[in-house]
PDB file of all heavy atoms in Angstrom:
ATOM      1  N   LYS A  26     -87.754 -52.307  44.834  1.00  0.00           N
ATOM      2  CA  LYS A  26     -86.584 -51.747  45.542  1.00  0.00           C
ATOM      3  C   LYS A  26     -86.888 -51.599  47.028  1.00  0.00           C
ATOM      4  O   LYS A  26     -86.049 -51.908  47.884  1.00  0.00           O
ATOM      5  CB  LYS A  26     -86.182 -50.406  44.938  1.00  0.00           C
ATOM      6  CG  LYS A  26     -85.561 -50.553  43.563  1.00  0.00           C
ATOM      7  CD  LYS A  26     -85.061 -49.235  43.038  1.00  0.00           C
ATOM      8  CE  LYS A  26     -84.550 -49.396  41.617  1.00  0.00           C
ATOM      9  NZ  LYS A  26     -84.196 -48.128  40.997  1.00  0.00           N
ATOM     10  N   ASN A  29     -86.645 -54.895  48.632  1.00  0.00           N
ATOM     11  CA  ASN A  29     -85.253 -55.276  48.882  1.00  0.00           C
ATOM     12  C   ASN A  29     -84.685 -54.580  50.118  1.00  0.00           C
ATOM     13  O   ASN A  29     -83.971 -55.194  50.903  1.00  0.00           O
ATOM     14  CB  ASN A  29     -84.395 -54.986  47.653  1.00  0.00           C
ATOM     15  CG  ASN A  29     -84.272 -56.211  46.761  1.00  0.00           C
ATOM     16  OD1 ASN A  29     -83.552 -57.151  47.081  1.00  0.00           O
ATOM     17  ND2 ASN A  29     -85.023 -56.234  45.671  1.00  0.00           N
ATOM     18  N   HIS A  33     -83.805 -56.988  53.231  1.00  0.00           N
ATOM     19  CA  HIS A  33     -82.385 -57.168  53.558  1.00  0.00           C
ATOM     20  C   HIS A  33     -81.995 -56.429  54.829  1.00  0.00           C
ATOM     21  O   HIS A  33     -81.100 -56.884  55.549  1.00  0.00           O
ATOM     22  CB  HIS A  33     -81.516 -56.814  52.346  1.00  0.00           C
ATOM     23  CG  HIS A  33     -81.619 -57.855  51.264  1.00  0.00           C
ATOM     24  ND1 HIS A  33     -82.340 -57.670  50.109  1.00  0.00           N
ATOM     25  CD2 HIS A  33     -81.141 -59.126  51.200  1.00  0.00           C
ATOM     26  CE1 HIS A  33     -82.282 -58.778  49.370  1.00  0.00           C
ATOM     27  NE2 HIS A  33     -81.558 -59.667  50.007  1.00  0.00           N
ATOM     28  N   TYR A  40     -77.678 -62.630  58.646  1.00  0.00           N
ATOM     29  CA  TYR A  40     -77.377 -63.102  57.285  1.00  0.00           C
ATOM     30  C   TYR A  40     -76.153 -64.028  57.236  1.00  0.00           C
ATOM     31  O   TYR A  40     -76.175 -65.072  56.585  1.00  0.00           O
ATOM     32  CB  TYR A  40     -77.165 -61.882  56.389  1.00  0.00           C
ATOM     33  CG  TYR A  40     -77.144 -62.192  54.915  1.00  0.00           C
ATOM     34  CD1 TYR A  40     -78.318 -62.356  54.199  1.00  0.00           C
ATOM     35  CD2 TYR A  40     -75.938 -62.294  54.225  1.00  0.00           C
ATOM     36  CE1 TYR A  40     -78.300 -62.628  52.841  1.00  0.00           C
ATOM     37  CE2 TYR A  40     -75.911 -62.564  52.873  1.00  0.00           C
ATOM     38  CZ  TYR A  40     -77.093 -62.730  52.185  1.00  0.00           C
ATOM     39  OH  TYR A  40     -77.067 -63.001  50.842  1.00  0.00           O
ATOM     40  N   ILE A  46     -71.683 -67.756  56.122  1.00  0.00           N
ATOM     41  CA  ILE A  46     -70.639 -66.856  55.620  1.00  0.00           C
ATOM     42  C   ILE A  46     -69.604 -66.645  56.711  1.00  0.00           C
ATOM     43  O   ILE A  46     -69.937 -66.417  57.878  1.00  0.00           O
ATOM     44  CB  ILE A  46     -71.255 -65.502  55.205  1.00  0.00           C
ATOM     45  CG1 ILE A  46     -72.083 -65.685  53.917  1.00  0.00           C
ATOM     46  CG2 ILE A  46     -70.174 -64.432  55.007  1.00  0.00           C
ATOM     47  CD1 ILE A  46     -72.840 -64.449  53.480  1.00  0.00           C
ATOM     48  N   GLU A  76     -67.916 -52.579  45.387  1.00  0.00           N
ATOM     49  CA  GLU A  76     -68.884 -53.675  45.321  1.00  0.00           C
ATOM     50  C   GLU A  76     -70.306 -53.120  45.317  1.00  0.00           C
ATOM     51  O   GLU A  76     -70.633 -52.218  46.090  1.00  0.00           O
ATOM     52  CB  GLU A  76     -68.726 -54.639  46.506  1.00  0.00           C
ATOM     53  CG  GLU A  76     -69.762 -55.766  46.423  1.00  0.00           C
ATOM     54  CD  GLU A  76     -69.523 -56.946  47.338  1.00  0.00           C
ATOM     55  OE1 GLU A  76     -68.798 -56.788  48.340  1.00  0.00           O
ATOM     56  OE2 GLU A  76     -70.074 -58.024  47.056  1.00  0.00           O
ATOM     57  N   GLY A  78     -74.338 -54.102  45.958  1.00  0.00           N
ATOM     58  CA  GLY A  78     -75.127 -55.115  46.675  1.00  0.00           C
ATOM     59  C   GLY A  78     -74.238 -55.953  47.573  1.00  0.00           C
ATOM     60  O   GLY A  78     -74.285 -57.184  47.548  1.00  0.00           O
ATOM     61  N   CYS A  79     -73.446 -55.287  48.393  1.00  0.00           N
ATOM     62  CA  CYS A  79     -72.384 -55.970  49.168  1.00  0.00           C
ATOM     63  C   CYS A  79     -72.933 -56.895  50.241  1.00  0.00           C
ATOM     64  O   CYS A  79     -72.225 -57.783  50.715  1.00  0.00           O
ATOM     65  CB  CYS A  79     -71.475 -54.937  49.829  1.00  0.00           C
ATOM     66  SG  CYS A  79     -72.347 -53.873  51.017  1.00  0.00           S
ATOM     67  N   GLY A  80     -74.210 -56.715  50.654  1.00  0.00           N
ATOM     68  CA  GLY A  80     -74.683 -57.489  51.797  1.00  0.00           C
ATOM     69  C   GLY A  80     -73.777 -57.234  52.989  1.00  0.00           C
ATOM     70  O   GLY A  80     -73.383 -56.091  53.272  1.00  0.00           O
ATOM     71  N   PHE A  83     -69.421 -60.182  52.267  1.00  0.00           N
ATOM     72  CA  PHE A  83     -68.818 -61.488  51.969  1.00  0.00           C
ATOM     73  C   PHE A  83     -67.824 -61.461  50.796  1.00  0.00           C
ATOM     74  O   PHE A  83     -66.698 -61.936  50.923  1.00  0.00           O
ATOM     75  CB  PHE A  83     -69.940 -62.513  51.686  1.00  0.00           C
ATOM     76  CG  PHE A  83     -69.524 -63.642  50.826  1.00  0.00           C
ATOM     77  CD1 PHE A  83     -68.668 -64.608  51.319  1.00  0.00           C
ATOM     78  CD2 PHE A  83     -69.937 -63.738  49.502  1.00  0.00           C
ATOM     79  CE1 PHE A  83     -68.239 -65.657  50.512  1.00  0.00           C
ATOM     80  CE2 PHE A  83     -69.513 -64.769  48.694  1.00  0.00           C
ATOM     81  CZ  PHE A  83     -68.661 -65.735  49.209  1.00  0.00           C
ATOM     82  N   ASP A 101     -74.739 -50.824  49.078  1.00  0.00           N
ATOM     83  CA  ASP A 101     -75.920 -51.691  49.074  1.00  0.00           C
ATOM     84  C   ASP A 101     -77.141 -50.791  49.221  1.00  0.00           C
ATOM     85  O   ASP A 101     -77.057 -49.713  49.830  1.00  0.00           O
ATOM     86  CB  ASP A 101     -75.854 -52.694  50.238  1.00  0.00           C
ATOM     87  CG  ASP A 101     -76.801 -53.868  50.054  1.00  0.00           C
ATOM     88  OD1 ASP A 101     -78.032 -53.680  50.131  1.00  0.00           O
ATOM     89  OD2 ASP A 101     -76.303 -54.992  49.797  1.00  0.00           O
ATOM     90  N   ILE A 102     -78.262 -51.247  48.700  1.00  0.00           N
ATOM     91  CA  ILE A 102     -79.494 -50.462  48.838  1.00  0.00           C
ATOM     92  C   ILE A 102     -80.045 -50.552  50.261  1.00  0.00           C
ATOM     93  O   ILE A 102     -80.849 -49.727  50.677  1.00  0.00           O
ATOM     94  CB  ILE A 102     -80.538 -50.925  47.784  1.00  0.00           C
ATOM     95  CG1 ILE A 102     -81.585 -49.837  47.548  1.00  0.00           C
ATOM     96  CG2 ILE A 102     -81.189 -52.231  48.181  1.00  0.00           C
ATOM     97  CD1 ILE A 102     -82.453 -50.063  46.320  1.00  0.00           C
ATOM     98  N   SER A 103     -79.575 -51.546  51.023  1.00  0.00           N
ATOM     99  CA  SER A 103     -80.035 -51.734  52.409  1.00  0.00           C
ATOM    100  C   SER A 103     -79.050 -51.091  53.383  1.00  0.00           C
ATOM    101  O   SER A 103     -77.893 -51.523  53.481  1.00  0.00           O
ATOM    102  CB  SER A 103     -80.160 -53.241  52.699  1.00  0.00           C
ATOM    103  OG  SER A 103     -79.905 -53.520  54.048  1.00  0.00           O
ATOM    104  N   MET A 106     -77.415 -53.582  55.773  1.00  0.00           N
ATOM    105  CA  MET A 106     -76.327 -54.392  55.213  1.00  0.00           C
ATOM    106  C   MET A 106     -75.021 -53.588  55.165  1.00  0.00           C
ATOM    107  O   MET A 106     -73.952 -54.105  55.509  1.00  0.00           O
ATOM    108  CB  MET A 106     -76.693 -54.884  53.811  1.00  0.00           C
ATOM    109  CG  MET A 106     -77.724 -55.993  53.798  1.00  0.00           C
ATOM    110  SD  MET A 106     -77.084 -57.526  54.535  1.00  0.00           S
ATOM    111  CE  MET A 106     -78.316 -58.706  53.961  1.00  0.00           C
ATOM    112  N   ALA A 126     -76.593 -47.250  48.455  1.00  0.00           N
ATOM    113  CA  ALA A 126     -76.672 -46.885  47.040  1.00  0.00           C
ATOM    114  C   ALA A 126     -77.509 -47.872  46.255  1.00  0.00           C
ATOM    115  O   ALA A 126     -77.411 -49.085  46.455  1.00  0.00           O
ATOM    116  CB  ALA A 126     -75.264 -46.848  46.443  1.00  0.00           C
ATOM    117  N   ASP A 127     -78.306 -47.338  45.359  1.00  0.00           N
ATOM    118  CA  ASP A 127     -79.040 -48.139  44.383  1.00  0.00           C
ATOM    119  C   ASP A 127     -78.106 -48.365  43.195  1.00  0.00           C
ATOM    120  O   ASP A 127     -77.541 -47.398  42.653  1.00  0.00           O
ATOM    121  CB  ASP A 127     -80.282 -47.336  43.972  1.00  0.00           C
ATOM    122  CG  ASP A 127     -81.114 -48.041  42.909  1.00  0.00           C
ATOM    123  OD1 ASP A 127     -80.708 -49.113  42.433  1.00  0.00           O
ATOM    124  OD2 ASP A 127     -82.174 -47.494  42.564  1.00  0.00           O
ATOM    125  N   ALA A 128     -77.962 -49.620  42.775  1.00  0.00           N
ATOM    126  CA  ALA A 128     -77.040 -49.938  41.676  1.00  0.00           C
ATOM    127  C   ALA A 128     -77.438 -49.253  40.367  1.00  0.00           C
ATOM    128  O   ALA A 128     -76.621 -49.139  39.459  1.00  0.00           O
ATOM    129  CB  ALA A 128     -76.981 -51.442  41.476  1.00  0.00           C
ATOM    130  N   HIS A 144     -71.835 -60.062  43.961  1.00  0.00           N
ATOM    131  CA  HIS A 144     -72.126 -61.489  44.139  1.00  0.00           C
ATOM    132  C   HIS A 144     -73.607 -61.611  44.489  1.00  0.00           C
ATOM    133  O   HIS A 144     -74.061 -61.040  45.486  1.00  0.00           O
ATOM    134  CB  HIS A 144     -71.252 -62.064  45.274  1.00  0.00           C
ATOM    135  CG  HIS A 144     -71.423 -63.539  45.452  1.00  0.00           C
ATOM    136  ND1 HIS A 144     -72.357 -64.084  46.302  1.00  0.00           N
ATOM    137  CD2 HIS A 144     -70.787 -64.584  44.867  1.00  0.00           C
ATOM    138  CE1 HIS A 144     -72.282 -65.396  46.243  1.00  0.00           C
ATOM    139  NE2 HIS A 144     -71.335 -65.727  45.386  1.00  0.00           N
ATOM    140  N   ALA A 145     -74.354 -62.313  43.653  1.00  0.00           N
ATOM    141  CA  ALA A 145     -75.787 -62.558  43.903  1.00  0.00           C
ATOM    142  C   ALA A 145     -76.569 -61.255  44.038  1.00  0.00           C
ATOM    143  O   ALA A 145     -77.440 -61.142  44.906  1.00  0.00           O
ATOM    144  CB  ALA A 145     -75.968 -63.434  45.149  1.00  0.00           C
ATOM    145  N   VAL A 146     -76.262 -60.281  43.198  1.00  0.00           N
ATOM    146  CA  VAL A 146     -76.976 -58.997  43.295  1.00  0.00           C
ATOM    147  C   VAL A 146     -77.782 -58.666  42.038  1.00  0.00           C
ATOM    148  O   VAL A 146     -78.873 -58.097  42.135  1.00  0.00           O
ATOM    149  CB  VAL A 146     -76.002 -57.839  43.637  1.00  0.00           C
ATOM    150  CG1 VAL A 146     -74.900 -57.689  42.607  1.00  0.00           C
ATOM    151  CG2 VAL A 146     -76.752 -56.525  43.766  1.00  0.00           C
ATOM    152  N   HIS A 148     -79.702 -60.208  40.097  1.00  0.00           N
ATOM    153  CA  HIS A 148     -81.086 -60.701  39.967  1.00  0.00           C
ATOM    154  C   HIS A 148     -82.072 -59.941  40.853  1.00  0.00           C
ATOM    155  O   HIS A 148     -83.274 -60.159  40.766  1.00  0.00           O
ATOM    156  CB  HIS A 148     -81.161 -62.215  40.220  1.00  0.00           C
ATOM    157  CG  HIS A 148     -80.848 -62.654  41.615  1.00  0.00           C
ATOM    158  ND1 HIS A 148     -79.572 -62.738  42.109  1.00  0.00           N
ATOM    159  CD2 HIS A 148     -81.663 -63.037  42.620  1.00  0.00           C
ATOM    160  CE1 HIS A 148     -79.606 -63.166  43.357  1.00  0.00           C
ATOM    161  NE2 HIS A 148     -80.869 -63.352  43.698  1.00  0.00           N
ATOM    162  N   HIS A 149     -81.568 -59.022  41.693  1.00  0.00           N
ATOM    163  CA  HIS A 149     -82.467 -58.192  42.517  1.00  0.00           C
ATOM    164  C   HIS A 149     -82.719 -56.813  41.900  1.00  0.00           C
ATOM    165  O   HIS A 149     -83.539 -56.050  42.421  1.00  0.00           O
ATOM    166  CB  HIS A 149     -81.834 -57.944  43.893  1.00  0.00           C
ATOM    167  CG  HIS A 149     -81.700 -59.181  44.727  1.00  0.00           C
ATOM    168  ND1 HIS A 149     -82.779 -59.892  45.183  1.00  0.00           N
ATOM    169  CD2 HIS A 149     -80.605 -59.825  45.205  1.00  0.00           C
ATOM    170  CE1 HIS A 149     -82.362 -60.920  45.905  1.00  0.00           C
ATOM    171  NE2 HIS A 149     -81.042 -60.903  45.925  1.00  0.00           N
ATOM    172  N   ILE A 150     -82.002 -56.459  40.841  1.00  0.00           N
ATOM    173  CA  ILE A 150     -82.041 -55.084  40.323  1.00  0.00           C
ATOM    174  C   ILE A 150     -83.075 -54.987  39.203  1.00  0.00           C
ATOM    175  O   ILE A 150     -82.987 -55.733  38.215  1.00  0.00           O
ATOM    176  CB  ILE A 150     -80.647 -54.680  39.789  1.00  0.00           C
ATOM    177  CG1 ILE A 150     -79.613 -54.770  40.908  1.00  0.00           C
ATOM    178  CG2 ILE A 150     -80.695 -53.288  39.182  1.00  0.00           C
ATOM    179  CD1 ILE A 150     -78.179 -54.608  40.428  1.00  0.00           C
ATOM    180  N   PRO A 151     -84.056 -54.079  39.298  1.00  0.00           N
ATOM    181  CA  PRO A 151     -85.090 -54.039  38.251  1.00  0.00           C
ATOM    182  C   PRO A 151     -84.507 -53.846  36.847  1.00  0.00           C
ATOM    183  O   PRO A 151     -84.819 -54.613  35.944  1.00  0.00           O
ATOM    184  CB  PRO A 151     -85.967 -52.839  38.666  1.00  0.00           C
ATOM    185  CG  PRO A 151     -85.784 -52.748  40.150  1.00  0.00           C
ATOM    186  CD  PRO A 151     -84.362 -53.179  40.415  1.00  0.00           C
TER     187      PRO A 151
HETATM  188  C1  SAM B 401     -78.620 -62.033  47.922  1.00  0.00           C
HETATM  189  S1  SAM B 401     -77.952 -60.597  48.700  1.00  0.00           S
HETATM  190  C2  SAM B 401     -76.221 -60.831  48.361  1.00  0.00           C
HETATM  191  C3  SAM B 401     -75.341 -60.101  49.329  1.00  0.00           C
HETATM  192  C4  SAM B 401     -73.850 -60.348  49.146  1.00  0.00           C
HETATM  193  N1  SAM B 401     -73.381 -59.831  47.887  1.00  0.00           N
HETATM  194  C5  SAM B 401     -73.522 -61.802  49.284  1.00  0.00           C
HETATM  195  O1  SAM B 401     -73.247 -62.465  48.278  1.00  0.00           O
HETATM  196  O2  SAM B 401     -73.576 -62.313  50.411  1.00  0.00           O
HETATM  197  C6  SAM B 401     -78.366 -59.280  47.581  1.00  0.00           C
HETATM  198  C7  SAM B 401     -77.986 -57.899  48.072  1.00  0.00           C
HETATM  199  O3  SAM B 401     -78.285 -56.975  47.034  1.00  0.00           O
HETATM  200  C8  SAM B 401     -78.843 -55.815  47.609  1.00  0.00           C
HETATM  201  N2  SAM B 401     -79.659 -55.111  46.592  1.00  0.00           N
HETATM  202  C9  SAM B 401     -80.890 -55.420  46.143  1.00  0.00           C
HETATM  203  N3  SAM B 401     -81.302 -54.541  45.215  1.00  0.00           N
HETATM  204  C10 SAM B 401     -80.312 -53.639  45.063  1.00  0.00           C
HETATM  205  C11 SAM B 401     -80.138 -52.459  44.263  1.00  0.00           C
HETATM  206  N4  SAM B 401     -81.087 -52.040  43.402  1.00  0.00           N
HETATM  207  N5  SAM B 401     -78.988 -51.772  44.383  1.00  0.00           N
HETATM  208  C12 SAM B 401     -78.019 -52.168  45.247  1.00  0.00           C
HETATM  209  N6  SAM B 401     -78.130 -53.257  46.040  1.00  0.00           N
HETATM  210  C13 SAM B 401     -79.255 -53.994  45.952  1.00  0.00           C
HETATM  211  C14 SAM B 401     -79.662 -56.346  48.770  1.00  0.00           C
HETATM  212  O4  SAM B 401     -79.952 -55.350  49.724  1.00  0.00           O
HETATM  213  C15 SAM B 401     -78.767 -57.461  49.298  1.00  0.00           C
HETATM  214  O5  SAM B 401     -77.891 -57.031  50.310  1.00  0.00           O
END
Side-chain angles (χ1 to χ4, degrees):
K26 289 185 185 173
N29 266 285
H33 288 105
Y40 193 81
I46 289 175
E76 179 167 21
C79 62
F83 154 71
D101 197 291
I102 201 167
S103 149
M106 286 293 195
D127 178 356
H144 184 270
V146 59
H148 66 282
H149 294 295
I150 300 171

